[in-house]
CSV table of all heavy atoms in Angstrom, one decimal:
chain,number,residue,atom,x,y,z
R,87,LYS,N,-49.5,-13.4,-113.9
R,87,LYS,CA,-49.9,-12.2,-113.0
R,87,LYS,C,-49.3,-11.0,-113.7
R,87,LYS,O,-48.1,-10.7,-113.6
R,87,LYS,CB,-49.3,-12.4,-111.6
R,87,LYS,CG,-49.6,-11.3,-110.6
R,87,LYS,CD,-49.0,-11.6,-109.3
R,87,LYS,CE,-49.4,-10.6,-108.2
R,87,LYS,NZ,-48.8,-10.9,-106.9
R,88,MET,N,-50.1,-10.2,-114.3
R,88,MET,CA,-49.7,-9.0,-115.0
R,88,MET,C,-50.1,-7.7,-114.4
R,88,MET,O,-51.3,-7.6,-114.0
R,88,MET,CB,-50.2,-9.1,-116.5
R,88,MET,CG,-49.7,-8.0,-117.4
R,88,MET,SD,-50.6,-7.8,-118.9
R,88,MET,CE,-52.0,-6.8,-118.4
R,89,LEU,N,-49.2,-6.8,-114.3
R,89,LEU,CA,-49.5,-5.4,-113.9
R,89,LEU,C,-49.4,-4.5,-115.1
R,89,LEU,O,-48.4,-4.5,-115.9
R,89,LEU,CB,-48.5,-4.9,-112.9
R,89,LEU,CG,-48.5,-3.4,-112.5
R,89,LEU,CD1,-49.9,-3.0,-111.8
R,89,LEU,CD2,-47.4,-3.0,-111.6
R,90,PHE,N,-50.5,-3.8,-115.4
R,90,PHE,CA,-50.5,-2.8,-116.5
R,90,PHE,C,-50.6,-1.4,-115.9
R,90,PHE,O,-51.4,-1.1,-115.0
R,90,PHE,CB,-51.8,-3.0,-117.3
R,90,PHE,CG,-51.9,-1.9,-118.4
R,90,PHE,CD1,-51.3,-2.1,-119.6
R,90,PHE,CD2,-52.7,-0.8,-118.2
R,90,PHE,CE1,-51.4,-1.1,-120.6
R,90,PHE,CE2,-52.8,0.2,-119.1
R,90,PHE,CZ,-52.2,0.1,-120.4
R,91,LEU,N,-49.7,-0.5,-116.4
R,91,LEU,CA,-49.6,0.9,-116.0
R,91,LEU,C,-49.7,1.7,-117.3
R,91,LEU,O,-48.9,1.6,-118.2
R,91,LEU,CB,-48.3,1.2,-115.3
R,91,LEU,CG,-48.1,0.5,-114.0
R,91,LEU,CD1,-46.7,0.7,-113.4
R,91,LEU,CD2,-49.2,0.9,-112.9
R,92,GLY,N,-50.7,2.6,-117.3
R,92,GLY,CA,-51.0,3.4,-118.5
R,92,GLY,C,-50.6,4.8,-118.3
R,92,GLY,O,-51.2,5.5,-117.5
R,93,PHE,N,-49.6,5.3,-119.0
R,93,PHE,CA,-49.1,6.7,-118.8
R,93,PHE,C,-49.7,7.5,-119.9
R,93,PHE,O,-49.2,7.6,-121.1
R,93,PHE,CB,-47.6,6.7,-118.9
R,93,PHE,CG,-46.9,5.9,-117.8
R,93,PHE,CD1,-46.5,4.6,-118.0
R,93,PHE,CD2,-46.7,6.5,-116.6
R,93,PHE,CE1,-46.0,3.9,-117.0
R,93,PHE,CE2,-46.1,5.8,-115.5
R,93,PHE,CZ,-45.7,4.5,-115.7
R,94,GLY,N,-50.8,8.2,-119.6
R,94,GLY,CA,-51.5,9.0,-120.5
R,94,GLY,C,-51.8,10.4,-119.9
R,94,GLY,O,-50.9,11.0,-119.3
R,95,THR,N,-53.1,10.8,-120.0
R,95,THR,CA,-53.4,12.1,-119.3
R,95,THR,C,-53.2,11.9,-117.8
R,95,THR,O,-52.8,12.8,-117.1
R,95,THR,CB,-54.9,12.4,-119.6
R,95,THR,OG1,-55.1,12.5,-121.0
R,95,THR,CG2,-55.3,13.8,-119.0
R,96,GLY,N,-53.6,10.7,-117.3
R,96,GLY,CA,-53.3,10.4,-115.9
R,96,GLY,C,-52.4,9.1,-115.8
R,96,GLY,O,-51.6,8.9,-116.7
R,97,LEU,N,-52.7,8.3,-114.8
R,97,LEU,CA,-52.0,7.1,-114.6
R,97,LEU,C,-53.0,6.0,-114.4
R,97,LEU,O,-53.7,5.9,-113.4
R,97,LEU,CB,-51.0,7.1,-113.4
R,97,LEU,CG,-50.4,5.7,-113.1
R,97,LEU,CD1,-49.5,5.2,-114.2
R,97,LEU,CD2,-49.6,5.8,-111.8
R,98,GLY,N,-53.2,5.2,-115.4
R,98,GLY,CA,-54.2,4.0,-115.3
R,98,GLY,C,-53.4,2.8,-114.8
R,98,GLY,O,-52.2,2.6,-115.0
R,99,SER,N,-54.2,1.9,-114.1
R,99,SER,CA,-53.6,0.8,-113.5
R,99,SER,C,-54.5,-0.4,-113.4
R,99,SER,O,-55.7,-0.2,-113.0
R,99,SER,CB,-53.0,1.1,-112.1
R,99,SER,OG,-54.0,1.7,-111.3
R,100,THR,N,-54.1,-1.6,-113.7
R,100,THR,CA,-54.9,-2.8,-113.7
R,100,THR,C,-54.0,-4.0,-113.4
R,100,THR,O,-52.9,-4.1,-113.9
R,100,THR,CB,-55.6,-3.0,-115.0
R,100,THR,OG1,-56.5,-1.9,-115.2
R,100,THR,CG2,-56.4,-4.3,-115.0
R,101,MET,N,-54.5,-4.9,-112.6
R,101,MET,CA,-53.9,-6.2,-112.4
R,101,MET,C,-54.7,-7.3,-113.1
R,101,MET,O,-56.0,-7.2,-113.0
R,101,MET,CB,-53.7,-6.5,-110.9
R,101,MET,CG,-52.7,-5.8,-110.2
R,101,MET,SD,-51.0,-6.3,-110.6
R,101,MET,CE,-50.9,-7.9,-109.8
R,102,ILE,N,-54.1,-8.2,-113.7
R,102,ILE,CA,-54.8,-9.5,-114.2
R,102,ILE,C,-54.0,-10.6,-113.6
R,102,ILE,O,-52.8,-10.7,-113.9
R,102,ILE,CB,-54.9,-9.5,-115.7
R,102,ILE,CG1,-55.6,-8.3,-116.3
R,102,ILE,CG2,-55.6,-10.8,-116.1
R,102,ILE,CD1,-55.7,-8.3,-117.8
R,103,VAL,N,-54.7,-11.5,-112.8
R,103,VAL,CA,-54.0,-12.6,-112.2
R,103,VAL,C,-54.7,-13.9,-112.6
R,103,VAL,O,-55.9,-14.1,-112.3
R,103,VAL,CB,-54.0,-12.5,-110.7
R,103,VAL,CG1,-53.3,-13.7,-110.0
R,103,VAL,CG2,-53.4,-11.2,-110.2
R,104,GLU,N,-54.0,-14.7,-113.4
R,104,GLU,CA,-54.5,-16.0,-113.9
R,104,GLU,C,-55.9,-15.8,-114.5
R,104,GLU,O,-56.8,-16.6,-114.3
R,104,GLU,CB,-54.6,-17.0,-112.8
R,104,GLU,CG,-53.2,-17.3,-112.2
R,104,GLU,CD,-52.2,-17.8,-113.2
R,104,GLU,OE1,-52.6,-18.3,-114.2
R,104,GLU,OE2,-51.0,-17.7,-112.9
R,105,GLY,N,-56.1,-14.7,-115.3
R,105,GLY,CA,-57.4,-14.5,-116.0
R,105,GLY,C,-58.4,-13.7,-115.2
R,105,GLY,O,-59.4,-13.4,-115.8
R,106,TYR,N,-58.1,-13.3,-114.0
R,106,TYR,CA,-59.0,-12.5,-113.2
R,106,TYR,C,-58.5,-11.0,-113.3
R,106,TYR,O,-57.4,-10.7,-112.9
R,106,TYR,CB,-59.1,-13.0,-111.8
R,106,TYR,CG,-59.9,-14.2,-111.6
R,106,TYR,CD1,-59.4,-15.5,-111.9
R,106,TYR,CD2,-61.3,-14.2,-111.2
R,106,TYR,CE1,-60.1,-16.6,-111.8
R,106,TYR,CE2,-62.0,-15.3,-111.1
R,106,TYR,CZ,-61.4,-16.5,-111.4
R,106,TYR,OH,-62.2,-17.7,-111.3
R,107,LEU,N,-59.4,-10.2,-113.7
R,107,LEU,CA,-59.1,-8.8,-114.0
R,107,LEU,C,-59.6,-7.9,-112.8
R,107,LEU,O,-60.7,-8.0,-112.4
R,107,LEU,CB,-59.7,-8.3,-115.3
R,107,LEU,CG,-59.4,-6.9,-115.8
R,107,LEU,CD1,-59.5,-6.8,-117.3
R,107,LEU,CD2,-60.5,-5.9,-115.2
R,108,GLU,N,-58.7,-7.0,-112.3
R,108,GLU,CA,-59.0,-6.1,-111.2
R,108,GLU,C,-58.5,-4.7,-111.5
R,108,GLU,O,-57.3,-4.4,-111.4
R,108,GLU,CB,-58.4,-6.6,-109.9
R,108,GLU,CG,-59.0,-5.8,-108.7
R,108,GLU,CD,-60.5,-6.0,-108.5
R,108,GLU,OE1,-61.0,-7.2,-108.5
R,108,GLU,OE2,-61.2,-5.0,-108.4
R,109,PRO,N,-59.4,-3.8,-112.0
R,109,PRO,CA,-59.0,-2.4,-112.2
R,109,PRO,C,-58.6,-1.8,-110.9
R,109,PRO,O,-59.3,-2.1,-109.9
R,109,PRO,CB,-60.2,-1.8,-112.8
R,109,PRO,CG,-61.1,-2.9,-113.3
R,109,PRO,CD,-60.8,-4.1,-112.4
R,110,MET,N,-57.7,-0.9,-110.9
R,110,MET,CA,-57.3,-0.2,-109.7
R,110,MET,C,-57.2,1.3,-110.0
R,110,MET,O,-57.2,1.7,-111.1
R,110,MET,CB,-55.9,-0.7,-109.2
R,110,MET,CG,-56.0,-2.2,-108.8
R,110,MET,SD,-54.4,-2.9,-108.2
R,110,MET,CE,-53.4,-2.8,-109.6
R,111,GLU,N,-57.1,2.1,-108.9
R,111,GLU,CA,-56.9,3.5,-109.0
R,111,GLU,C,-55.6,4.0,-108.3
R,111,GLU,O,-55.6,4.9,-107.5
R,111,GLU,CB,-58.1,4.2,-108.4
R,111,GLU,CG,-59.4,4.0,-109.2
R,111,GLU,CD,-59.4,4.7,-110.6
R,111,GLU,OE1,-58.8,5.8,-110.7
R,111,GLU,OE2,-59.9,4.1,-111.5
R,112,LEU,N,-54.5,3.3,-108.7
R,112,LEU,CA,-53.2,3.6,-108.0
R,112,LEU,C,-52.7,5.0,-108.3
R,112,LEU,O,-52.0,5.6,-107.5
R,112,LEU,CB,-52.2,2.6,-108.5
R,112,LEU,CG,-52.5,1.1,-108.2
R,112,LEU,CD1,-51.4,0.3,-108.8
R,112,LEU,CD2,-52.7,0.9,-106.7
R,113,GLY,N,-53.2,5.6,-109.4
R,113,GLY,CA,-52.7,6.9,-109.7
R,113,GLY,C,-53.0,8.0,-108.8
R,113,GLY,O,-52.4,9.1,-108.7
R,114,HIS,N,-54.0,7.8,-107.9
R,114,HIS,CA,-54.5,8.8,-107.0
R,114,HIS,C,-53.9,8.6,-105.6
R,114,HIS,O,-54.3,9.3,-104.6
R,114,HIS,CB,-56.0,8.9,-106.9
R,114,HIS,CG,-56.6,9.1,-108.3
R,114,HIS,ND1,-56.3,10.2,-109.1
R,114,HIS,CD2,-57.4,8.4,-109.1
R,114,HIS,CE1,-57.0,10.1,-110.2
R,114,HIS,NE2,-57.6,9.0,-110.2
R,115,LEU,N,-53.0,7.6,-105.4
R,115,LEU,CA,-52.4,7.4,-104.1
R,115,LEU,C,-51.3,8.5,-103.9
R,115,LEU,O,-50.7,9.0,-104.8
R,115,LEU,CB,-51.7,6.0,-104.1
R,115,LEU,CG,-52.6,4.8,-104.1
R,115,LEU,CD1,-51.8,3.5,-104.2
R,115,LEU,CD2,-53.6,4.8,-102.9
R,116,PRO,N,-51.1,8.8,-102.6
R,116,PRO,CA,-50.1,9.9,-102.3
R,116,PRO,C,-48.7,9.6,-102.8
R,116,PRO,O,-48.2,8.4,-102.7
R,116,PRO,CB,-50.1,10.0,-100.8
R,116,PRO,CG,-51.4,9.4,-100.4
R,116,PRO,CD,-51.7,8.3,-101.4
R,117,TYR,N,-48.0,10.6,-103.3
R,117,TYR,CA,-46.6,10.4,-103.8
R,117,TYR,C,-45.9,11.8,-103.7
R,117,TYR,O,-46.5,12.7,-104.2
R,117,TYR,CB,-46.6,9.9,-105.2
R,117,TYR,CG,-45.2,9.7,-105.8
R,117,TYR,CD1,-44.3,8.7,-105.3
R,117,TYR,CD2,-44.8,10.5,-106.8
R,117,TYR,CE1,-43.0,8.6,-105.9
R,117,TYR,CE2,-43.5,10.4,-107.4
R,117,TYR,CZ,-42.6,9.4,-106.9
R,117,TYR,OH,-41.4,9.3,-107.4
R,118,ARG,N,-44.8,11.8,-103.0
R,118,ARG,CA,-44.1,13.1,-102.8
R,118,ARG,C,-45.0,14.2,-102.3
R,118,ARG,O,-45.6,14.1,-101.3
R,118,ARG,CB,-43.3,13.4,-104.1
R,118,ARG,CG,-42.3,12.4,-104.5
R,118,ARG,CD,-41.6,12.7,-105.8
R,118,ARG,NE,-40.7,13.8,-105.8
R,118,ARG,CZ,-39.5,13.8,-105.4
R,118,ARG,NH1,-38.9,12.6,-105.2
R,118,ARG,NH2,-38.7,14.9,-105.4
R,119,LYS,N,-45.2,15.3,-103.1
R,119,LYS,CA,-46.0,16.4,-102.7
R,119,LYS,C,-47.4,16.4,-103.3
R,119,LYS,O,-48.1,17.4,-103.4
R,119,LYS,CB,-45.3,17.7,-103.0
R,119,LYS,CG,-44.0,17.9,-102.2
R,119,LYS,CD,-43.4,19.3,-102.5
R,119,LYS,CE,-42.1,19.5,-101.7
R,119,LYS,NZ,-41.5,20.8,-102.0
R,120,GLY,N,-47.8,15.2,-103.9
R,120,GLY,CA,-49.1,15.1,-104.6
R,120,GLY,C,-49.5,13.7,-104.7
R,120,GLY,O,-49.5,13.0,-103.6
R,121,THR,N,-49.8,13.2,-105.9
R,121,THR,CA,-50.1,11.8,-106.1
R,121,THR,C,-49.2,11.3,-107.2
R,121,THR,O,-48.5,12.0,-107.9
R,121,THR,CB,-51.6,11.7,-106.6
R,121,THR,OG1,-51.7,12.3,-107.9
R,121,THR,CG2,-52.5,12.4,-105.6
R,122,TYR,N,-49.3,10.0,-107.4
R,122,TYR,CA,-48.5,9.4,-108.5
R,122,TYR,C,-48.9,10.1,-109.9
R,122,TYR,O,-48.0,10.4,-110.7
R,122,TYR,CB,-48.8,7.9,-108.7
R,122,TYR,CG,-48.2,7.0,-107.6
R,122,TYR,CD1,-48.9,6.1,-106.9
R,122,TYR,CD2,-46.8,7.1,-107.4
R,122,TYR,CE1,-48.4,5.3,-105.9
R,122,TYR,CE2,-46.2,6.3,-106.4
R,122,TYR,CZ,-47.0,5.4,-105.7
R,122,TYR,OH,-46.4,4.6,-104.8
R,123,GLU,N,-50.2,10.3,-110.1
R,123,GLU,CA,-50.6,10.9,-111.3
R,123,GLU,C,-50.0,12.3,-111.5
R,123,GLU,O,-49.8,12.7,-112.7
R,123,GLU,CB,-52.1,10.9,-111.3
R,123,GLU,CG,-52.8,11.3,-112.6
R,123,GLU,CD,-54.2,11.0,-112.7
R,123,GLU,OE1,-54.6,9.9,-112.9
R,123,GLU,OE2,-55.0,12.0,-112.5
R,124,ASP,N,-49.9,13.0,-110.4
R,124,ASP,CA,-49.3,14.4,-110.5
R,124,ASP,C,-47.9,14.4,-111.1
R,124,ASP,O,-47.4,15.4,-111.7
R,124,ASP,CB,-49.3,15.1,-109.2
R,124,ASP,CG,-50.7,15.4,-108.7
R,124,ASP,OD1,-51.6,15.7,-109.6
R,124,ASP,OD2,-51.0,15.4,-107.5
R,125,TYR,N,-47.2,13.3,-110.9
R,125,TYR,CA,-45.8,13.2,-111.3
R,125,TYR,C,-45.5,12.5,-112.6
R,125,TYR,O,-44.6,12.8,-113.3
R,125,TYR,CB,-44.9,12.6,-110.2
R,125,TYR,CG,-44.7,13.6,-109.0
R,125,TYR,CD1,-45.7,13.8,-108.0
R,125,TYR,CD2,-43.5,14.4,-109.0
R,125,TYR,CE1,-45.5,14.7,-107.0
R,125,TYR,CE2,-43.3,15.3,-107.9
R,125,TYR,CZ,-44.3,15.4,-107.0
R,125,TYR,OH,-44.1,16.4,-106.0
R,126,VAL,N,-46.3,11.4,-112.9
R,126,VAL,CA,-46.1,10.6,-114.1
R,126,VAL,C,-47.2,10.7,-115.1
R,126,VAL,O,-47.1,10.1,-116.2
R,126,VAL,CB,-45.8,9.1,-113.7
R,126,VAL,CG1,-44.6,9.0,-112.8
R,126,VAL,CG2,-47.1,8.5,-113.1
R,127,GLY,N,-48.3,11.5,-114.8
R,127,GLY,CA,-49.3,11.8,-115.8
R,127,GLY,C,-48.9,12.9,-116.7
R,127,GLY,O,-47.7,13.4,-116.6
R,128,LEU,N,-49.8,13.4,-117.5
R,128,LEU,CA,-49.5,14.5,-118.4
R,128,LEU,C,-49.1,15.8,-117.7
R,128,LEU,O,-48.2,16.5,-118.1
R,128,LEU,CB,-50.7,14.7,-119.3
R,128,LEU,CG,-50.5,15.8,-120.4
R,128,LEU,CD1,-49.3,15.4,-121.4
R,128,LEU,CD2,-51.7,15.9,-121.3
R,129,ARG,N,-49.8,16.0,-116.5
R,129,ARG,CA,-49.4,17.2,-115.7
R,129,ARG,C,-48.0,17.2,-115.3
R,129,ARG,O,-47.2,18.2,-115.3
R,129,ARG,CB,-50.3,17.4,-114.5
R,129,ARG,CG,-51.8,17.7,-114.8
R,129,ARG,CD,-52.5,18.1,-113.6
R,129,ARG,NE,-52.5,17.0,-112.6
R,129,ARG,CZ,-53.4,16.0,-112.6
R,129,ARG,NH1,-54.3,16.0,-113.5
R,129,ARG,NH2,-53.4,15.1,-111.6
R,130,GLY,N,-47.5,16.0,-114.9
R,130,GLY,CA,-46.2,15.9,-114.4
R,130,GLY,C,-45.2,16.0,-115.5
R,130,GLY,O,-44.1,16.6,-115.4
């Protein structure tokens, strides 16, 4: 069960569980005064 987090222009996120891949959009979830991406992406 692997979590991938990609710190680039934004925040990319994907889970792979026993060979099943599920892309996610966690970077746009609320965090502090913005989103995760606002703080750990390139803007942040």
Side-chain angles (χ1 to χ4, degrees):
K87 183 179 181 181
M88 186 194 82
L89 170 65
F90 174 86
L91 297 173
F93 297 94
T95 306
L97 173 64
S99 53
T100 294
M101 287 286 290
I102 304 181
V103 182
E104 301 300 339
Y106 285 80
L107 182 151
E108 190 62 49
M110 299 182 290
E111 292 292 322
L112 300 177
H114 304 301
L115 293 177
Y117 177 70
R118 298 176 70 90
K119 296 181 180 180
T121 66
Y122 285 129
E123 189 167 282
D124 291 327
Y125 284 83
V126 301
L128 184 59
R129 290 191 302 275

